[in-house]
Amino acid sequence: MVVCGDDGLAHRLAAELRGVYREQVTLVVPPSGRRVRQPVVGRARAASAALRDMVNAAVNRTGNSDATGGTGGTGGTGGTGRELEATEPTEDVLADAGVERATALALVYDDDETNIRAALTARRLNPRLQLVLRLYNRRLGQHIEELLDQSAALASGGGPGSGSGSTTVLSDADTAAPALAATALVGTSKVVETDGLLLRAVERNPPRPGEVADPGLCTLALLSATSNDPAGADGSEDSGENGPQLLPDAAAVEAATGRGTVALEQVSYSGPPLPAGRAGVPAFGELFSRRLRWSLAGLAACVVALAVALMVVTGDHPLHATYVTLLDLFSINEPAHNADIGRQILQLLSGFVGLLLLPVLLAAVLEALGTFRSASTLRKPPRGLGGHVVLLGLGKIGTRVLTRLREMDIPVVCVEADPEARGMATARRLRVPVVLGDVTQEGVLEAAKIHRAHSLLALTSVDTTNLEAVLYARSVRSRLRVVLRLYDDDFATAVYRTLRAAHPRALTRSRSVTHLAAPSFAGAMMGRQILGAIPVERRVLLFAAVEVAGHPQLEGKTVGEAFRAGAWRVLALEVSDGERAAAGADSPSEGARESRLVWELPDTYVLRGSDRVVLAATRRGLAELLGRRARRGVDV
């Protein structure tokens, strides 16, 4: 495996491949002077002390030891590798990294153009290479994926099934945004969405005496036993027996008392897709103020009254009376000095109304111009705003989270110091209020109405800025729900425990974007379709679509026999409509024929080699089930 990158995701991905999948990894990073600080990936789990010491000694020999003694940016609990320093992934650098002999290559540079240029070069060097690209531009990513797959097929002399390499385009922002947005909201669940498949993980409180908990499709996890204890270890990845238990069996669920659960639910949406927000022509209600609309309505009523009065006095037809009234209104009619007194009075009144109409029309023009101008500028938070989400940072992650929140119709106020930030255009398009200023400066959070906010999402790229903003916000409102984006796990765990101990009644969550994204990138490098990841406290559950053929843990076994507690669980079976009865499913209704996934499979159903299943797995469970070393007989 070859990993090329210039930020924390590259180091974490390399550690994921070495520690979980036990792969040989070559890490290509910029020279030491231009390298970012490596993340502390966390302590090794389920590894013996002897193995950890051996790996640390091997890493020390390469000059890349982890100061904390854990699996650092280039260390791990298994697997070996080396590290190369290069400013850019040129053809010579990729050749030196062994791309021509590699199984998979991950290009996770922060710049899309760098990743695309390196991917084109790597595909030419090795058409059978499994490529994983990190691209922020999703539309461009789809075209690049098709282009590289077609190039690999032609270079291999056959079609897509001729053994040519495949390409997977992922975005760390898209992977982490649903979890970050969901964490900030009460009652909003963690969601995995891909190609029409929508799964929702719901955290449920412990059942009361006499109540039976609804497991939904299945119970994904048992939450920490110390979840209500401010001094508990709920925020760490290694929480021991009291920590979260992923994919428990029925006996463990029944034996657990006083512990919350995470249940899986399937959500279907039959309505029209949400339209993309745009700064188009404002509605009439927003084009003119309320006072101006009443003024226009009053003038229109006066014109109607004058026309009716003229029709009564002169006996004219209603249309002719209205026409004459308008001529008098705009002072373009002949003077009525030879007419009777009633007609003269009506002409004078029409002229007076015409004088009133001029300033009203001028005000309407000025207001309309101002409304069109403000439609393309940043909005300010309304005075009476409350119950909203304050979002700090409009970079890549903040922009994706903002889009997710607006899709759920959640009121948001953004705070950004850079007026040229990536997400400013998105905020204008969605007409979201933005406060420009440094969040560490006094008065900026107050301008975002933090004292009336529902939650705070601190998503800037600087840990100290996020922490300072959260501490200040908590001093303003002690029970504010906060979510921090922090760089490494040890620091995030320490911050989490301290904030929860200081504010036990307020919800606190710390999240690392690379921690949420690395499992999906690693699974894609293994050649598997990772549907998404759901965080359970500070651990991660992966959802993957897997071909049963070639996996003795699945093929020829029943669904009940294939389930391994704490490792993996088969959730659904992908079949055609004619095969639903064989899978034990009821006859589909007319509206359900489009679905090709059968849920709640009976434990007696035997998995065949031709089946394709959707399963939930831990990172180590997926490594054991799908890892290449596991299939070669290596004990994982």
Side-chain angles (χ1 to χ4, degrees):
M1 302 286 180
V2 180
V3 177
C4 303
D6 57 358
D7 61 3
L9 180 59
H11 296 281
R12 189 180 295 274
L13 178 56
E16 184 87 9
L17 292 170
R18 290 171 179 170
V20 178
Y21 293 92
R22 297 196 174 187
E23 291 291 337
Q24 296 182 5
V25 182
T26 298
L27 179 61
V28 180
V29 292
S32 301
R34 299 179 57 185
R35 190 181 309 176
V36 298
R37 175 173 58 90
Q38 294 185 17
V40 179
V41 178
R43 292 172 294 277
R45 299 186 301 271
S48 65
L51 179 59
R52 182 167 59 250
D53 293 339
M54 178 184 65
V55 173
N56 287 337
V59 174
N60 288 333
R61 286 194 297 269
T62 62
N64 298 296
S65 60
D66 182 14
T68 63
T71 57
T74 57
T77 63
T80 59
R82 62 189 179 118
E83 181 174 309
L84 299 178
E85 292 187 351
T87 304
E88 293 182 359
T90 61
E91 181 175 352
D92 294 337
V93 172
L94 293 176
D96 190 20
V99 167
E100 297 176 355
R101 304 178 305 277
T103 301
L105 168 65
L107 297 166
V108 293
Y109 289 94
D110 191 55
D111 179 50
D112 286 2
E113 183 180 352
T114 301
N115 293 327
I116 294 174
R117 188 187 309 115
L120 296 174
T121 303
R123 178 61 75 209
R124 178 169 50 83
L125 294 176
N126 188 353
R128 298 180 180 273
L129 186 68
Q130 174 77 24
L131 275 176
V132 178
L133 277 73
R134 171 191 184 183
L135 294 183
Y136 181 79
N137 191 327
R138 290 175 288 184
R139 180 177 298 180
L140 176 61
Q142 295 177 356
H143 296 305
I144 291 297
E145 187 172 333
E146 296 174 358
L147 174 64
L148 292 174
D149 284 345
Q150 183 179 3
S151 174
L154 294 176
S156 300
S162 61
S164 58
S166 61
T167 306
T168 304
V169 176
L170 299 175
S171 169
D172 56 336
D174 288 333
T175 303
L180 292 171
T183 309
L185 306 174
V186 172
T188 303
S189 306
K190 304 157 188 175
V191 173
V192 172
E193 181 181 5
T194 175
D195 296 333
L197 174 67
L198 189 62
L199 303 176
R200 180 174 63 180
V202 183
E203 292 189 10
R204 295 176 177 173
N205 295 324
R208 298 177 181 177
E211 291 184 351
V212 178
D214 181 14
L217 293 175
C218 68
T219 300
L220 291 177
L222 296 174
L223 297 177
S224 298
T226 59
S227 58
N228 296 322
D229 181 11
D234 182 60
S236 65
E237 292 190 13
D238 188 7
S239 303
E241 295 181 357
N242 292 328
Q245 296 183 17
L246 304 183
L247 302 176
D249 54 17
V253 175
E254 293 179 1
T257 57
R259 300 181 65 167
T261 60
V262 178
L264 182 68
E265 295 180 353
Q266 183 184 10
V267 181
S268 59
Y269 179 68
S270 58
L274 290 173
R278 57 182 181 181
V281 179
F284 181 80
E286 299 180 359
L287 192 62
F288 304 114
S289 65
R290 184 178 180 181
R291 181 180 300 177
L292 183 60
R293 294 198 302 270
W294 278 110
S295 300
L296 291 174
L299 290 176
C302 291
V303 172
V304 172
L306 290 173
V308 171
L310 183 61
M311 180 183 63
V312 172
V313 171
T314 61
D316 287 345
H317 189 273
L319 292 179
H320 185 266
T322 303
Y323 174 70
V324 173
T325 300
L326 292 176
L327 292 179
D328 294 336
L329 187 71
F330 296 118
S331 300
I332 57 177
N333 197 10
E334 293 290 337
H337 53 82
N338 294 326
D340 55 13
I341 188 66
R343 174 73 182 87
Q344 293 176 351
I345 294 176
L346 289 177
Q347 190 176 55
L348 291 175
L349 291 175
S350 298
F352 179 72
V353 172
L355 294 177
L356 296 178
L357 180 62
L358 290 178
V360 174
L361 291 179
L362 179 61
V365 172
L366 293 178
E367 279 199 7
L369 291 177
T371 302
F372 278 106
R373 187 181 299 110
S374 62
S376 60
T377 59
L378 296 175
R379 300 182 60 192
K380 295 183 178 180
R383 290 186 177 180
L385 182 64
H388 57 287
V389 176
V390 177
L391 176 63
L392 309 183
L394 285 177
K396 293 194 304 182
I397 306 299
T399 303
R400 290 287 193 253
V401 173
L402 172 62
T403 304
R404 288 277 181 172
L405 292 173
R406 294 305 299 138
E407 287 176 353
M408 296 184 286
D409 294 328
I410 304 298
V412 185
V413 174
C414 300
V415 179
E416 175 57 53
D418 183 10
E420 302 297 329
R422 185 191 297 264
M424 298 298 284
T426 301
R428 292 189 182 95
R429 175 174 59 85
L430 298 177
R431 307 197 69 188
V432 174
V434 178
V435 177
L436 284 175
D438 187 354
V439 70
T440 61
Q441 299 296 323
E442 185 177 358
V444 175
L445 283 178
E446 284 81 356
K449 315 294 183 184
I450 192 64
H451 56 285
R452 291 201 298 264
H454 171 270
S455 55
L456 171 66
L457 271 167
L459 303 181
T460 70
S461 58
V462 182
D463 286 2
T464 55
T465 300
N466 294 334
L467 181 58
E468 183 177 354
V470 168
L471 292 177
Y472 180 77
R474 278 284 171 83
S475 67
V476 176
R477 185 177 181 183
S478 60
R479 301 191 64 176
L480 181 69
R481 174 188 290 255
V482 298
V483 180
L484 293 85
R485 173 192 175 187
L486 297 178
Y487 190 69
D488 56 51
D489 295 333
D490 283 356
F491 182 55
T493 301
V495 169
Y496 170 83
R497 292 177 178 175
T498 304
L499 286 177
R500 198 174 71 169
H503 304 278
R505 295 186 178 182
L507 189 143
T508 303
R509 290 291 184 266
S510 56
R511 294 286 183 257
S512 169
V513 173
T514 57
H515 172 76
L516 297 175
S520 296
F521 279 81
M525 290 187 71
M526 300 301 294
R528 309 298 167 183
Q529 182 182 1
I530 303 297
L531 303 181
I534 287 180
V536 179
E537 296 179 2
R538 291 200 58 78
R539 302 182 67 183
V540 175
L541 266 179
L542 300 177
F543 292 82
V546 179
E547 301 286 347
V548 173
H551 302 294
Q553 303 94 331
L554 302 178
E555 191 172 2
K557 297 183 180 297
T558 64
V559 173
E561 295 172 345
F563 169 54
R564 181 176 297 182
W568 63 77
R569 178 170 189 166
V570 176
L571 300 178
L573 175 68
E574 183 176 349
V575 294
S576 60
D577 290 338
E579 296 172 332
R580 292 176 64 91
D586 298 333
S587 297
S589 61
E590 188 66 26
R593 292 184 183 276
E594 295 181 358
S595 176
R596 299 185 60 197
L597 289 174
V598 176
W599 298 90
E600 300 185 31
L601 289 172
D603 290 341
T604 56
Y605 175 76
V606 180
L607 299 174
R608 299 168 296 178
S610 59
D611 289 338
R612 189 169 185 263
V613 296
V614 174
L615 53 84
T618 63
R619 292 187 296 175
R620 291 191 177 276
L622 191 64
E624 181 177 353
L625 180 65
L626 306 179
R628 294 183 297 118
R629 293 176 179 266
R631 291 198 295 272
R632 291 199 296 262
V634 177
D635 183 16
V636 185

